[in-house]
Amino acid sequence: MSTSITQSGFELLDLVNAMRRSELFNTVSPRTLAELILRARIKRFEPGTVLVSQGAPFDNYFLIMKGTVQITVAPPQRDDSIRSRYYVQAQDVLGEFGALMGSTSPGTATVVEEAIVFELSARHLRERIGLTRAFWRGAMKSLQDTPLSNDEFGLEVSEIEAALEGMALAEVFALRQLPGAGFDLEALADMLAKTQVADFGDTVARLQLGDTFRKHDEVYGGVVRYSVPRAQLLDVVVKLRPEYDYIFLPGESGIEEPMGEVPHSNIHLREYTGTKGEMVPIDMGGIEHQVIFIPEPDTFEEKIGARWDYYKSRHDLLYPIEGTDLSGLGHRLRLHIDPKAITEGWTPSTPLASLNPATLTALSRWARSVTQRRVGLALGGSGAWGYAHVALIRDLLARPAPVPIDVISGSSSGALIGAYFCAEGEAGMAKIVERGESGCIDLVVFLSIFSSYAIQALINCDLGHRRLEWLKVDFLPVCTNLTSGRFHTWITGPMGLAVRAAGSAPGVFTPTILGSNRLVDGCVTNNVPVDVLMLHADLLIASNAYPSTTRARHEHWCNGPVASFLRGIDPIGRILDLVVSGNLMLHTNGEFQSQDAAVTYDAGREDFPLFGAFNFGHAQKFIFDAQTNPRLRKSVVQAKAAWIKLSRPITKKATAPNPTPSPTTPSPP
């Protein structure tokens, strides 16, 4: 017997991490798995319930969240007493390959202790892999990267790759406009398609409405175009899907509802016009890509209204989001371009090179978002050691194979470095380095003992009164709310205030007080906030820049019970124990919080790192030491290799079973 329960009792990130332990999904993007999990069921099963019987088809994929399940395999044509039995428990997966391949179960799974099971329809799993190109790409990467073994039921998995190749179908996109926007959808879709081909080598088809069906001979920017009558659109999409990575449907002007029979993702376009809540994600159902175009403002003071009376009147935008509840952020993208200006005079033959570099950068960011290739960087709090983040970012962006950065989270000095990069890129990092070398940061540290507003004033002076929702690179600073005992993530509001809260070192600087909330440094609860990025980036990179340390082994001239007692009560030694223990706690917490990242830079060991943490005047030395640190060089190499693997399409090795030929002649489909 089973009863359904809500997903609210389980953290989404816990379910994502549990699924990623599976051999099939260990390299699938967390964002993709989150989409899948939100459509699954969680059930409670009583002892004696059979999840799947031997010889029955695999209708579901199971993830055991709690309890114990017994697997019994009875050999064919043998005595029933000759059975093999073993048990699976919490965090184990059942039937991942069987659910994917639609095979029958060679064993029986019976609940022996009340179990809570995450249950996903095998049909839905197969459909989702076929509908989402990033899901298929991640599953194929798992096959290539992981030495596969038999699953819990002993299934043979030699045919799994062929089964996945049969699901290699194009993901279908449709651009749509939200009320108030007036964009040239055909031109924007053409720019996006050409960018995907140029950046990733994806195969992309563009459909446009026409009187007769035909494939165009001209191929501009690697994008293949088809003219299709409205009545034949569905048939053409079905026939083309095995041949391409992505297909773009005609613009909204040619698509009338209903189009539900065509499985596709909507890329919603809207225009940001102010600060009255337009950045709040809209629940549109399904997989949506909400894109917000923002023309570059003339001055931040004029367009944002960064004045004290504005702060007082907009308290609803000041408060951060508790924990990792950022589900809508994964579908939000800000492009600092004026779409009406760049689409003027655009034709299919117009090359991307005709656009300015800033627009090309924005289009690349858009392409990474819709194809689920976003890169996230978590910067840990580490005082002046945080200048190692500058070295890491510079090396990631360096050629060859530069790694783009789409979203940054950070605590303490990680939030400080992240703010300067997200606001002004490499020029911003040069500015924060100069501020350190000049002694300005040391002065801010001293003044923050009396008021942490000094941090906010520095940000506003150097970067202007910017708001988080206006930055080109998503920036998610993390602070700790001592009132609730949890970490908070800022997604909107004044950037200076957010960084101030994220860097208010408790006991050293004054706290940041908002209403009844007492905000301090994010390092207290989430020093390297990788989990903040998990639902919003596909390649996760962590930087745990605060070094580890240990107490040196001392040889004593006098031993014995009395000498040991005296050394134990030595106040100086006990203070050093406290300092070293605090250092270890901060570094070890960063290690634990970084474990879900694909690549982690770990600073290693230093003697008395606490002393160096306040030495901001030696910024260049910290950067040089990090650049020459073999640990950082190794992390950069790993990150570049991971980005190359993510950015390149996976070539189909075999022909899909019973492939449907794509139309290549002017005859109707």
Side-chain angles (χ1 to χ4, degrees):
M1 180 178 177
S2 67
T3 56
S4 297
I5 59 179
T6 64
Q7 292 192 1
S8 59
F10 296 89
E11 290 285 347
L12 182 59
L13 293 184
D14 292 339
L15 293 171
V16 168
N17 284 327
M19 286 194 72
R20 294 182 82 191
R21 295 188 186 98
S22 163
E23 288 179 315
L24 185 59
F25 303 133
N26 63 358
T27 62
V28 173
S29 162
R31 285 200 296 166
T32 304
L33 293 180
E35 291 282 358
L36 196 67
I37 289 169
L38 293 176
R39 290 162 175 77
R41 302 177 299 274
I42 296 180
K43 293 183 177 181
R44 179 181 286 107
F45 292 93
E46 296 181 357
T49 305
V50 175
L51 297 181
V52 61
S53 300
Q54 186 166 341
F58 274 107
D59 294 328
N60 294 290
Y61 157 96
F62 301 103
L63 173 63
I64 311 301
M65 303 303 300
K66 179 182 178 182
T68 304
V69 176
Q70 175 183 275
I71 309 298
T72 304
V73 180
Q77 299 177 350
R78 294 276 189 93
D79 188 278
D80 286 346
S81 63
I82 305 176
R83 296 171 180 265
S84 58
R85 292 186 177 89
Y86 53 96
Y87 298 89
V88 292
Q89 296 177 320
Q91 307 304 317
D92 286 330
V93 174
L94 294 178
E96 55 180 326
F97 301 131
L100 177 68
M101 301 174 65
S103 59
T104 59
S105 172
T108 298
T110 306
V111 176
V112 296
E113 179 185 344
E114 183 181 73
I116 296 178
V117 178
F118 167 84
E119 183 181 280
L120 179 66
S121 163
R123 177 186 60 81
H124 188 77
L125 172 64
R126 294 192 291 269
E127 286 179 353
R128 185 54 52 184
I129 291 178
L131 292 177
T132 309
R133 193 64 175 182
F135 198 172
W136 178 85
R137 187 172 62 236
M140 287 295 291
K141 281 177 56 184
S142 296
L143 294 178
Q144 297 174 359
D145 296 348
T146 307
L148 294 177
S149 60
N150 295 344
D151 75 349
E152 288 80 0
F153 291 97
L155 286 174
E156 293 292 335
V157 296
S158 59
E159 299 178 358
I160 188 80
E161 190 172 46
L164 270 176
E165 287 178 346
M167 300 176 191
L169 302 175
E171 183 169 358
V172 184
F173 288 145
L175 270 66
R176 299 185 182 278
Q177 302 184 60
L178 294 182
F183 306 127
D184 185 344
L185 293 180
E186 295 299 332
L188 291 172
D190 192 59
M191 291 180 185
L192 177 57
K194 288 179 179 178
T195 303
Q196 289 180 222
V197 174
D199 288 1
F200 312 125
D202 291 334
T203 56
V204 182
R206 287 268 290 111
L207 306 187
Q208 62 187 46
L209 296 181
D211 296 332
T212 60
F213 170 78
R214 73 183 183 92
K215 179 180 180 181
H216 294 250
D217 294 331
E218 305 86 0
V219 178
Y220 299 113
V223 178
V224 182
R225 294 185 299 130
Y226 294 85
S227 291
V228 185
R230 175 65 180 85
Q232 299 175 0
L233 188 59
L234 174 60
D235 293 335
V236 170
V237 170
V238 171
K239 291 186 178 183
L240 290 179
R241 288 190 69 206
E243 305 297 324
Y244 292 93
D245 295 317
Y246 297 93
I247 296 175
F248 283 82
L249 295 175
E252 186 176 38
S253 59
I255 298 181
E256 298 83 14
E257 296 293 345
M259 275 294 287
E261 65 270 16
V262 178
H264 64 279
S265 300
N266 290 322
I267 305 176
H268 282 90
L269 311 183
R270 72 179 305 177
E271 190 168 14
Y272 186 85
T273 56
T275 55
K276 297 181 180 179
E278 286 87 345
M279 296 303 295
V280 176
I282 296 176
D283 183 10
M284 302 172 188
I287 301 177
E288 308 290 351
H289 301 273
Q290 181 181 348
V291 181
I292 302 173
F293 290 95
I294 308 179
E296 195 72 47
D298 296 328
T299 66
F300 283 94
E301 272 76 6
E302 291 179 5
K303 291 297 181 73
I304 302 177
R307 300 178 300 273
W308 174 241
D309 59 345
Y310 172 77
Y311 289 165
K312 291 190 296 183
S313 64
R314 299 298 298 173
H315 280 298
D316 57 315
L317 293 182
L318 296 185
Y319 290 94
I321 303 299
E322 189 171 38
T324 55
D325 184 19
L326 308 173
S327 56
L329 186 63
H331 305 310
R332 187 187 73 183
L333 181 68
R334 296 180 296 273
L335 300 180
H336 285 244
I337 61 176
D338 186 345
K340 297 176 183 178
I342 65 173
T343 57
E344 185 176 354
W346 184 271
T347 66
S349 61
T350 305
L352 283 175
S354 65
L355 301 174
N356 61 60
T359 300
L360 292 175
T361 299
L363 290 173
S364 293
R365 183 170 291 117
W366 189 9
R368 292 194 296 273
S369 178
V370 298
T371 63
Q372 299 195 33
R373 290 178 167 113
R374 295 187 81 194
V375 179
L377 181 58
L379 305 179
S382 41
W385 296 102
Y387 277 114
H389 302 321
V390 175
L392 176 63
I393 293 174
R394 285 175 174 172
D395 285 359
L396 289 175
L397 298 178
R399 295 184 181 277
V403 180
I405 298 173
D406 297 291
V407 54
I408 286 181
S409 66
S411 296
S412 194
S413 61
L416 182 69
I417 301 297
Y420 278 80
F421 174 77
C422 291
E424 297 185 356
E426 295 188 61
M429 291 195 299
K431 186 177 293 185
I432 189 60
V433 172
E434 188 276 331
R435 286 297 198 186
E437 289 287 322
S438 67
C440 180
I441 302 295
D442 290 327
L443 177 61
V444 168
V445 169
F446 174 75
L447 293 176
S448 295
I449 298 174
F450 306 98
S451 174
S452 59
Y453 179 78
I455 302 173
Q456 184 175 347
L458 174 68
I459 296 292
N460 291 341
C461 176
D462 282 352
L463 305 178
H465 295 271
R466 305 192 187 212
R467 297 184 63 84
L468 295 174
E469 60 266 33
W470 280 82
L471 299 176
K472 296 180 181 180
V473 178
D474 276 326
F475 179 43
L476 307 171
V478 172
C479 64
T480 298
N481 188 346
L482 294 181
T483 306
S484 67
R486 299 192 64 183
F487 74 88
H488 280 211
T489 305
W490 292 76
I491 63 172
T492 185
M495 182 174 67
L497 179 64
V499 175
R500 171 190 175 184
S504 296
V508 180
F509 302 159
T510 63
T512 300
I513 298 177
L514 288 178
S516 61
N517 294 306
R518 196 176 184 91
L519 308 179
V520 298
D521 202 310
C523 73
V524 175
T525 49
N526 201 352
N527 191 42
V528 186
V530 173
D531 51 359
V532 170
L533 302 176
M534 286 190 67
L535 301 183
H536 320 294
D538 307 289
L539 174 59
L540 305 177
I541 303 172
S543 179
N544 186 22
Y546 192 80
S548 174
T549 188
T550 57
R551 288 293 306 270
R553 182 186 296 275
H554 295 285
E555 298 294 335
H556 302 285
W557 63 273
C558 181
N559 294 305
V562 175
S564 297
F565 173 76
L566 293 176
R567 288 197 297 269
I569 64 172
D570 174 19
I572 296 178
R574 291 161 69 178
I575 291 174
L576 289 177
D577 289 343
L578 177 62
V579 171
V580 171
S581 298
N583 289 331
L584 281 173
M585 187 181 303
L586 188 62
H587 179 82
T588 304
N589 284 344
E591 282 184 325
F592 175 76
Q593 292 150 357
S594 302
Q595 63 183 346
D596 292 322
V599 178
T600 299
Y601 162 61
D602 189 289
R605 185 186 178 282
E606 294 283 347
D607 292 330
F608 301 108
L610 183 62
F611 297 157
F614 294 94
N615 198 2
F616 289 93
H618 290 76
Q620 292 288 5
K621 182 180 185 304
F622 282 111
I623 294 173
F624 175 79
D625 290 344
Q627 287 176 329
T628 56
N629 187 337
R631 290 171 175 264
L632 186 136
R633 293 201 301 269
K634 179 180 178 181
S635 298
V636 170
V637 170
Q638 291 175 340
K640 288 179 180 280
W643 166 244
I644 290 173
K645 183 171 290 187
L646 176 65
S647 62
R648 291 177 179 171
I650 296 177
T651 305
K652 307 171 191 176
K653 297 182 180 179
T655 303
N658 300 319
T660 304
S662 64
T664 56
T665 64
S667 59

